[in-house]
Amino acid sequence: MIIQYKTIHSIKGQLVFIKGIPPVKYLELVRFTDQTGRHYLGQVLETGKGYAVAQLFEQSQGIGNKNIKAEFLGKTLDFAVGKEILGRIFNGIGEPLDNLKPHFSDKHLDVNGFAINPWSRQYPNDFIQTGISAIDVLNTLVRGQKLPIFSGAGLPHNRLAIDIARQATVASQGEKFSVIFGAMGITFEESQQFITAFEKSGALTRSVLFLNLANDPVIERIALPRFALTAAEYLAFEEGFHVLVILTDMTNYAEAVREIANAREEVPGRRGYPGYLYTDLASIYERAGRIKNKKGSITQLPILTMPEDDKTHPIPDLTGYITEGQIILSRELHQRGIYPPIDVLTSLSRLRDKGIGEGKTRFEHPRLANQLFASYAQGKELRSLSAILGEESLSETDKKYLKFADAFEEKFINQKDNLNRTILESLDLSWELIKILPKEELRRLRQEDLEKFYNH
Amino acid sequence: MNQHPQKESILNKNESLSQNNSGLIVKIAGPLVVAENLTNAKLGDICKVGKEGLIGEIIKIEGNLSYLQVYEDTAGLAPGDKVVNQGIPLSVELGPGLLGNIFDGILRPLNEIAKVGGIYIPKGLAIPSLNREKFWDFEPVVKTGQKVNGGDIIGYIQESAFIKHSIMVPPNISEGEVIDIQKKSLKVTDQAALIKNPLGETIKISLIQLWPVRQPRPVLKKLVPEIPLITGQRIIDALFPIVKGGTASVPGPFGSGKTVVQHQLAKWSDADVIVFVGCGERGNEMTDVLEEFPRLKDPKTGRPLIERTVLIANTSNMPVAAREASIYTGITIAEYFRDMGLSVALMADSTSRWAEALREMGSRLEEMPGEEGYPAYLGSRLAAFYERAGAVECLGSPKRQGSLTVIGAVSPPGGDLSEPVTQNTLRVSKVFWALDDKLAAKRHFPAINWLKSYSLYSENTDSYFSKNISPQYPEILKQTMSILSEEEKLLEILKLVGFESLSDAERLILQTAEFIREDFLMQNAFDEIDSFTSLKKQYLMLSTIINYHTWQANQIAQGKSFQECNKPEIKEFIKKMKFLPENNLSIFDRILESLK
């Protein structure tokens, strides 16, 4: 039997201090009920002899220390999983939002999950074709990778995520594929953009949506990715799905972590974020990957908007230290009307070299990619130099670099008219552009690469 | 000295639970647990916490309260749960079976955990570090009646084709007498020898030693390290060398290639044993090592690299407190192999995550925070850790020298090198490889900035190079550095006045610097041949570039123009020399001859 306690001592923000209780477990769930019978869910954050500190999952407006009762539920936050969750929409703590009845399952999983044993992991090395040249050729996404999109306010990160989700699906026909979408603190319109797109592509029935919009309780925002990833782990490692998890916007998530930490009067770290933000973010991002002898995989595509486009801000900075690369969007390219405006030089996929080359894409791909990076970097450098000294001060070769950099942006990065290129199309296009440069400049390519592709 | 060779393992001592050394939990907040009335509590003691027997360590005592940092997830613990003091400090099992395996931060074997726990790591597992069932052929080298002291080698085990594992008398034993010695196949817990000490007590020596991780293992004396640790990485070996027994740090923002540098060093360093500590980093990186090292061959011995490697993994989502311990676990293992007279290299990726774990526990203990919230003792802890490196004369007989090289990655927030972890590390490490994200953006790897990096060992290695490679080598290295710094100045000028205004001699410098950067310093870790370059080949490559430079400089000095003193076949050769296989270096002689 669950006992109700009326010994609420104090309430401060989302934190409730309860006194005069028998021992309760750390992270145990607690349900508060007010005089009208309304429930509020919380979680034990600190427990001691005869007292506990609980954190509410929703607004504490309207509750006082005299009018509520607390019940300790004896369990931690969990999610009932089963194939029935496909096609459903939930809030941040796994309650249905789609006017359907709660799904039923005997299988309840702790949403905090457990760390995957590194020994059980399998290194991700299956190429995913996204149809986006700047990703496929230069910053390749592989199955089981966590590759965030670093964006800024007003940039088309949502559109890019939708395009990737749609086009990557096509490339893996015959296998079970699912999209899990976690929205944290984004607006209603933004969330509709995703839902409509999933509907159109028919992916909605194979998706699970978790929505916590801008006006929903902040604390649920912290639980949301954990519910989403619990669903992902179930689908991937027990049902054999290849799951693509889109989490947006991680900046809102981190803001929520900061808000709660401040309410708990914790010592703030850089820019007010708690010192454990790295570990906290890692507990989300690390729930991606492949497992030995398991069919499914979890690929994460978190989206975050960099405050003031600043890469060194704690949120992108800590994320970059955990994830396996990053796709960075450029405001300059966007303003010039290039879509997708991917800043290829600062973007990176750490798993690229394991996912490309002979037997995966094409044998010269790794060297060709390095050559494109080097030549484009050179071209951009010369572009700023010619802005100071004038183009006439450049040598003939330098001018070719300028031409290459322009063509690279206009034809290769820009895919306005041709949104979905196969990897071979992208590679052939790369060769077409690299031929702008004289052969002697192409130091990262091998003789056999040049013989096969440059001379034709 | 706090040593307990008689205790089998701290992790499976459930049977020794007794009432008189237990207490009750009064508070839980994250990894911090406070227990009341824990009798005989000493700082550093290991305790079993709660019904699941989670491992915790006492880090503060106040009145009748003991504060513990718990190495596992504390969800589900409640006040009133029992805490049992094991009475010994956090210790690890040292013995055969460490090599080729992967362990968590407190040395639990992850492959064994996977057998019991499936794909995730469950809580409260008590699995001994070393396999209890496996037999090892023990070859004794002492006889009964012989006097032995701490550190003396009593026998060997051929652990792998190239690693002879010495079984040593624990350091705390002195003037013992061997009263029994075995010569047969033994399990790690079997008695290998019996020793009687001057007090008349007999001590059983098995193949396992237990050692407290926070206490450095003793040595006879420390030596000045002088022999370079050859890494096969050109920019490191040639310009910023590290020595066997030295310390180095690799700070860099994310994406600048810290981990690839660390992996390359783990792969190609000419150490006998590598200890790789993945401290708060990605799980996939450990998997990468696990998948790749069995396939790659040690250039020195031709054996799979995994046979000389010990992996410690506390990935970023594993418990924070165990992250703090993982660094010490790793270095204790490294010291153990050093004590056998081996050269050991330890890579810690990343020490910043370790420092953050320290900060997190510090703030939960409500300690006064120092700079950026780190505890004030950050500097002294870091210094104490790096000081465990060194070239040493090992304890005991036969006389032998070992070395322990420590290479720590640092992950400064926002790439800002003025932050406390980087600054405290720079004070104690002698080599600094500064990773530069501008180079990384151009895909110039390793992205070690040649103008910011330094090595305080260059003098030591210069004499080694002139003795073992070529008397000219130090001079060539000096010229290389001066051309690179000259280039930097010229590039500044170029930005203002344009290419046309440069003299021929200056143009030559720009060209040679480009050769050095593109064809020597840049090295592709993913290319089979380029991944490793021997010292000999490094010397030949640099000589070619510098001799060509000298030849051209002479021509220009004689009045020829820059365009005229051009040898296209040499240029062509320089561009592809990094891909020449190691067994085909004679071609360099012909090229160098033509430049005389």
Side-chain angles (χ1 to χ4, degrees):
Chain A
M1 198 192 84
I2 292 173
I3 306 169
Q4 294 190 326
Y5 296 94
K6 289 183 175 177
T7 45
I8 314 297
H9 177 259
S10 61
I11 301 163
K12 194 161 63 178
Q14 314 278 74
L15 299 183
V16 183
F17 297 78
I18 312 147
K19 280 190 152 181
I21 50 167
V24 295
K25 291 178 185 160
Y26 179 61
L27 295 186
E28 185 173 342
L29 283 183
V30 47
R31 184 167 60 206
F32 298 97
T33 314
D34 68 12
Q35 74 275 28
T36 65
R38 199 185 143 190
H39 294 310
Y40 304 81
L41 206 58
Q43 189 174 28
V44 173
L45 279 190
E46 186 179 318
T47 162
K49 237 177 162 178
Y51 77 95
V53 182
Q55 170 177 313
L56 287 171
F57 283 113
E58 43 212 304
Q59 305 296 345
S60 47
Q61 300 287 322
I63 62 173
N65 59 354
K66 300 288 182 253
N67 69 344
I68 56 166
K69 290 173 276 194
E71 296 164 286
F72 293 94
L73 303 182
K75 59 169 192 176
T76 50
L77 209 51
D78 60 17
F79 187 47
V81 290
K83 276 175 118 172
E84 300 75 25
I85 59 175
L86 285 170
R88 298 292 306 266
I89 304 176
F90 300 98
N91 71 3
I93 49 171
E95 296 165 346
L97 282 180
D98 47 11
N99 300 323
L100 298 173
K101 281 192 187 140
H103 64 288
F104 177 79
S105 167
D106 286 338
K107 201 176 171 77
H108 290 255
L109 297 179
D110 183 341
V111 298
N112 288 308
F114 290 97
I116 296 176
N117 189 333
W119 198 83
S120 304
R121 280 182 187 269
Q122 189 175 7
Y123 201 74
N125 55 11
D126 286 340
F127 173 76
I128 297 180
Q129 178 178 299
T130 65
I132 313 272
S133 299
I135 295 176
D136 290 351
V137 176
L138 298 169
N139 299 294
T140 316
L141 178 66
V142 301
R143 215 170 241 176
Q145 186 174 16
K146 35 192 185 289
L147 189 66
I149 298 175
F150 285 11
S151 184
L155 295 181
H157 42 265
N158 290 343
R159 194 176 148 198
L160 180 60
I162 288 168
D163 286 341
I164 291 173
R166 187 184 54 237
Q167 297 181 168
T169 322
V170 180
S172 58
Q173 269 166 357
E175 286 175 310
K176 288 197 281 185
F177 191 90
S178 168
V179 176
I180 292 190
F181 177 67
M184 290 162 285
I186 63 172
T187 62
F188 172 77
E189 281 159 64
E190 276 177 294
S191 76
Q192 281 307 307
Q193 196 185 349
F194 281 95
I195 295 172
T196 317
F198 293 151
E199 250 168 9
K200 247 198 227 158
S201 66
L204 198 59
T205 50
R206 291 174 287 117
S207 308
V208 191
L209 274 54
F210 294 85
L211 303 181
N212 171 277
L213 300 183
N215 57 347
D216 288 335
V218 169
I219 182 87
E220 284 187 19
R221 215 160 280 168
I222 296 180
L224 187 140
R226 298 183 164 81
F227 275 89
L229 289 162
T230 303
E233 282 170 350
Y234 168 77
L235 290 173
F237 304 136
E238 294 189 34
E239 297 291 343
F241 280 83
H242 290 291
V243 185
L244 177 69
V245 182
I246 300 174
L247 297 171
T248 181
D249 178 330
M250 290 305 291
T251 303
N252 295 337
Y253 169 83
E255 300 276 318
V257 172
R258 175 166 71 177
E259 191 175 327
I260 302 299
N262 284 2
R264 286 160 67 177
E265 296 180 354
E266 287 172 337
V267 182
R270 275 176 75 216
R271 302 228 188 164
Y273 294 95
Y276 53 79
L277 185 62
Y278 175 83
T279 307
D280 189 281
L281 288 172
S283 71
I284 293 173
Y285 297 138
E286 273 292 311
R287 292 172 80 173
R290 291 168 70 204
I291 304 285
K292 276 185 221 163
N293 308 319
K294 298 264 180 195
K295 256 170 97 185
S297 64
I298 300 178
T299 308
Q300 273 193 36
L301 206 63
I303 298 170
L304 61 87
T305 43
M306 299 180 282
E308 291 179 44
D309 296 353
D310 176 12
K311 198 173 77 159
T312 68
H313 183 281
I315 300 168
D317 188 51
L318 295 177
T319 297
Y321 274 121
I322 306 163
T323 53
E324 285 142 351
Q326 68 278 336
I327 302 292
I328 299 189
L329 300 190
S330 150
R331 197 167 292 278
E332 187 219 323
L333 290 179
H334 178 63
Q335 280 161 351
R336 280 169 42 201
I338 288 172
Y339 177 83
I342 295 172
D343 185 352
V344 295
L345 294 184
T346 54
S347 298
L348 168 75
S349 164
R350 290 167 193 268
L351 305 185
R352 185 193 79 188
D353 289 284
K354 306 266 167 141
I356 61 173
E358 186 83 68
K360 309 234 172 192
T361 53
R362 204 159 74 186
F363 72 95
E364 90 286 11
H365 185 167
R367 295 178 296 278
L368 181 60
N370 285 341
Q371 186 63 59
L372 290 170
F373 273 121
S375 303
Y376 180 52
Q378 176 88 357
K380 274 187 85 167
E381 223 164 79
L382 287 166
R383 192 188 280 164
S384 55
L385 197 62
S386 81
I388 305 168
L389 300 171
E391 204 174 322
E392 57 281 7
S393 71
L394 298 179
S395 70
E396 276 315 303
T397 317
D398 289 351
K399 282 178 191 153
K400 285 185 179 151
Y401 270 107
L402 284 188
K403 195 175 156 207
F404 168 76
D406 291 340
F408 183 76
E409 287 168 2
E410 293 296 335
K411 293 189 181 149
F412 184 86
I413 299 179
N414 192 6
Q415 285 187 244
K416 264 204 167 135
D417 312 318
N418 182 10
L419 207 50
N420 198 354
R421 290 187 195 135
T422 67
I423 177 64
L424 293 181
E425 282 168 358
S426 292
L427 289 172
D428 289 342
L429 176 62
S430 310
W431 277 106
E432 198 181 295
L433 298 177
I434 210 84
K435 282 183 197 166
I436 296 174
L437 297 169
K439 218 180 194 176
E440 310 79 76
E441 292 294 312
L442 307 178
R443 240 181 242 216
R444 317 254 168 138
L445 287 160
R446 292 227 187 123
Q447 204 51 46
E448 64 253 40
D449 306 332
L450 294 166
E451 270 162 27
K452 183 124 197 248
F453 297 102
Y454 190 86
N455 302 335
H456 298 282
Chain B
M1 211 148 288
N2 226 335
Q3 243 262 309
H4 302 262
Q6 71 284 6
K7 289 210 174 162
E8 275 192 9
S9 162
I10 50 156
L11 300 173
N12 54 1
K13 283 305 262 181
N14 263 326
E15 64 275 17
S16 75
L17 304 187
S18 69
Q19 287 304 320
N20 56 8
N21 55 1
S22 68
L24 298 178
I25 295 180
V26 294
K27 178 183 160 178
I28 304 134
L32 181 74
V33 167
V34 185
E36 194 176 48
N37 299 327
L38 194 60
T39 33
N40 300 323
K42 301 184 297 293
L43 271 189
D45 278 358
I46 285 297
C47 300
K48 293 256 194 173
V49 180
K51 296 177 198 76
E52 292 169 303
L54 311 181
I55 310 288
E57 180 181 3
I58 300 177
I59 51 173
K60 179 174 156 185
I61 299 174
E62 206 177 69
N64 60 351
L65 296 179
S66 302
Y67 292 71
L68 288 90
Q69 65 173 352
V70 176
Y71 291 125
E72 296 174 82
D73 186 9
T74 51
L77 286 178
D81 285 357
K82 205 195 268 180
V83 174
V84 181
N85 190 354
Q86 306 290 298
I88 55 167
L90 181 64
S91 307
V92 288
E93 291 184 354
L94 302 169
L98 290 168
L99 291 167
N101 271 327
I102 179 166
F103 302 89
D104 76 356
I106 49 175
L107 211 68
R108 285 181 294 196
L110 288 172
N111 57 346
E112 298 294 328
I113 288 179
K115 283 182 199 156
V116 193
I119 63 172
Y120 302 107
I121 301 176
K123 290 196 288 184
L125 276 187
I127 297 177
S129 307
L130 299 177
N131 189 328
R132 292 291 188 271
E133 304 305 320
K134 193 165 176 180
F135 281 95
W136 302 92
D137 285 332
F138 177 68
E139 194 59 48
V141 292
V142 293
K143 295 193 183 72
T144 49
Q146 200 170 324
K147 293 271 181 233
V148 289
N149 285 301
D152 287 1
I153 294 174
I154 58 164
Y156 293 102
I157 282 164
Q158 197 70 44
E159 191 168 351
S160 67
F162 277 87
I163 304 276
K164 218 165 151 189
H165 192 117
S166 312
I167 301 301
M168 296 168 286
V169 176
N172 58 334
I173 293 174
S174 60
E175 293 179 41
E177 186 192 329
V178 180
I179 53 173
D180 180 50
I181 181 92
Q182 300 289 328
K183 179 184 169 41
K184 60 174 185 187
S185 268
L186 297 171
K187 293 183 187 175
V188 282
T189 50
D190 288 344
Q191 174 183 315
L194 265 187
I195 288 174
K196 196 163 79 179
N197 71 9
L199 301 171
E201 298 161 340
T202 54
I203 299 156
K204 171 187 155 186
I205 309 264
S206 68
L207 304 184
I208 297 184
Q209 284 193 27
L210 212 56
W211 189 264
V213 296
R214 298 186 197 280
Q215 189 181 329
R217 286 175 63 88
V219 296
L220 197 61
K221 67 172 182 212
K222 278 204 162 188
L223 308 167
V224 177
E226 272 168 341
I227 304 163
L229 179 78
I230 297 155
T231 66
Q233 308 308 300
R234 292 187 290 263
I235 184 162
I236 292 176
D237 288 347
L239 301 184
F240 310 107
I242 169 124
V243 291
K244 286 182 175 162
T247 51
S249 58
V250 204
F254 68 82
S256 58
K258 278 186 301 299
T259 301
V260 179
V261 168
Q262 290 272 37
H263 279 199
Q264 284 297 91
L265 295 175
K267 280 178 197 166
W268 307 124
S269 292
D270 71 333
D272 300 313
V273 171
I274 301 287
V275 179
F276 194 96
V277 186
C279 177
E281 292 286 308
R282 304 173 186 91
N284 274 334
E285 281 166 6
M286 301 311 288
T287 311
D288 190 18
V289 175
L290 280 174
E291 286 184 11
E292 204 174 17
F293 278 33
R295 283 191 284 113
L296 293 172
K297 295 218 161 57
D298 182 350
K300 203 169 61 170
T301 63
R303 299 290 305 170
L305 284 173
I306 195 78
E307 284 183 7
R308 63 165 199 181
T309 310
V310 184
L311 293 168
I312 309 290
N314 178 282
T315 58
S316 54
N317 57 341
M318 282 157 81
V320 167
R323 187 173 310 162
E324 194 268 335
S326 66
I327 291 266
Y328 295 105
T329 299
I331 203 154
T332 305
I333 292 170
E335 285 177 339
Y336 173 68
F337 284 107
R338 172 206 65 192
D339 289 348
M340 297 177 195
L342 300 173
S343 79
V344 186
L346 174 128
M347 284 90 197
D349 186 12
S350 148
T351 56
S352 294
R353 308 299 164 221
W354 168 81
E356 284 165 13
L358 217 58
R359 174 169 71 184
E360 188 167 339
M361 290 315 296
S363 85
R364 297 218 190 243
L365 286 172
E366 292 169 6
E367 290 169 343
M368 182 78 84
E371 211 182 332
E372 292 201 15
Y374 288 103
Y377 46 77
L378 172 70
S380 56
R381 292 273 172 95
L382 267 171
F385 168 72
Y386 278 99
E387 262 311 288
R388 287 173 80 166
V392 305
E393 183 126 5
C394 307
L395 206 60
S397 72
K399 263 186 94 152
R400 55 196 189 269
Q401 291 186 356
S403 68
L404 167 50
T405 313
V406 173
I407 299 161
V410 185
S411 318
D416 169 16
L417 297 185
S418 69
E419 60 92 36
V421 183
T422 311
Q423 284 306 312
N424 280 304
T425 303
L426 288 184
R427 275 205 282 281
V428 287
S429 67
K430 300 243 164 49
V431 181
F432 171 55
W433 297 315
L435 294 179
D436 184 339
D437 57 350
K438 288 204 190 73
L439 287 175
K442 282 192 234 170
R443 291 344 186 229
H444 177 112
F445 287 115
I448 297 174
N449 184 309
W450 45 90
L451 297 170
K452 286 189 196 142
S453 303
Y454 61 79
S455 165
L456 300 182
Y457 298 120
S458 291
E459 272 176 37
N460 311 18
T461 54
D462 274 356
S463 62
Y464 177 93
F465 287 156
S466 52
K467 222 186 290 165
N468 294 285
I469 304 295
S470 158
Q472 281 98 45
Y473 199 19
E475 186 51 39
I476 288 177
L477 292 173
K478 217 187 277 168
Q479 273 195 43
T480 305
M481 272 319 285
S482 87
I483 290 172
L484 286 172
S485 57
E486 197 71 20
E487 182 201 27
E488 179 75 2
K489 276 183 230 152
L490 289 176
L491 287 177
E492 285 301 311
I493 298 172
L494 191 75
K495 269 184 206 152
L496 299 173
V497 294
F499 194 72
E500 296 305 316
S501 56
L502 295 185
S503 72
D504 276 358
E506 286 168 333
R507 284 182 196 195
L508 174 61
I509 284 187
L510 287 183
Q511 180 200 282
T512 306
E514 190 183 334
F515 286 148
I516 296 172
R517 283 188 285 107
E518 296 267 321
D519 302 308
F520 184 77
L521 298 183
M522 212 166 82
Q523 191 168 0
N524 186 349
F526 299 97
D527 186 278
E528 216 169 297
I529 295 171
D530 202 21
S531 189
F532 172 87
T533 308
S534 66
L535 278 190
K536 168 99 182 152
K537 187 179 164 191
Q538 294 182 23
Y539 162 69
L540 291 171
M541 288 172 78
L542 262 191
S543 301
T544 307
I545 296 172
I546 297 297
N547 284 355
Y548 183 45
H549 175 84
T550 314
W551 181 83
Q552 282 178 302
N554 285 338
Q555 300 281 315
I556 290 170
Q558 286 164 20
K560 288 215 180 125
S561 79
F562 182 58
Q563 273 78 18
E564 283 168 323
C565 59
N566 192 357
K567 285 195 177 198
E569 75 280 4
I570 301 281
K571 252 177 137 168
E572 203 58 27
F573 176 77
I574 287 175
K575 282 183 186 175
K576 60 183 193 202
M577 64 186 173
K578 59 167 83 158
F579 299 112
L580 282 178
E582 291 283 342
N583 56 15
N584 188 17
L585 299 182
S586 54
I587 186 165
F588 277 101
D589 297 336
R590 197 170 50 77
I591 297 286
L592 285 168
E593 192 59 36
S594 74
L595 289 171
K596 286 227 166 109

